[in-house]
Amino acid sequence: MILNLDIINFLFLVPLIIIGLICSYTDIKHGKILNKVIVFGFLYIFLLYLFIFLKNQENYNVIMATANGIIAFAVGYLIWNFKLWSAGDAKLFAIFAFLIPLSFYSKSYIHYFPAFNI
């Protein structure tokens, strides 16, 4: 069974918006991004990528999306390590990199790290 690309984008964008709204609210109201929201995001990402990989979706490149997210996580860690970001912002950057579909990075010049556009 091959899923429609619009359904796959929906599965990525709805939790992206929800996580973004929750994290924005808690960051503005309390000055922190809750780890339970971050853990939920990473768990959702893992299950979604596993589902897409097992369904053998030729129209979505899971390997490229995973590489993009892992590089974003490493870059976020480095930026946090140099004290330029808080830890919550670095983790949220990685979640956003995992959840923004690769087709949304049109005309990205960095092949393996299109999330650099964020």
Side-chain angles (χ1 to χ4, degrees), residues 25-69:
Y25 175 77
T26 59
D27 196 21
I28 291 168
K29 186 79 170 169
H30 305 289
K32 64 168 93 173
I33 296 172
L34 301 175
N35 277 336
K36 59 184 167 186
V37 177
I38 300 295
V39 169
F40 168 77
F42 280 119
L43 182 63
Y44 181 84
I45 290 164
F46 175 75
L47 294 174
L48 181 62
Y49 278 35
L50 182 66
F51 174 74
I52 291 172
F53 182 75
L54 291 177
K55 289 294 182 182
N56 197 15
Q57 298 296 315
E58 290 85 20
N59 56 352
Y60 193 79
N61 191 349
V62 175
I63 305 295
M64 183 70 141
T66 303
N68 178 48

Side-chain angles (χ1 to χ4, degrees), residues 68-97:
N68 178 48
I70 290 172
I71 292 170
F73 190 79
V75 168
Y77 173 78
L78 288 174
I79 293 173
W80 166 78
N81 196 29
F82 289 119
K83 310 268 188 267
L84 299 173
W85 265 355
S86 68
D89 293 333
K91 292 181 274 189
L92 191 61
F93 172 66
I95 287 177
F96 282 0

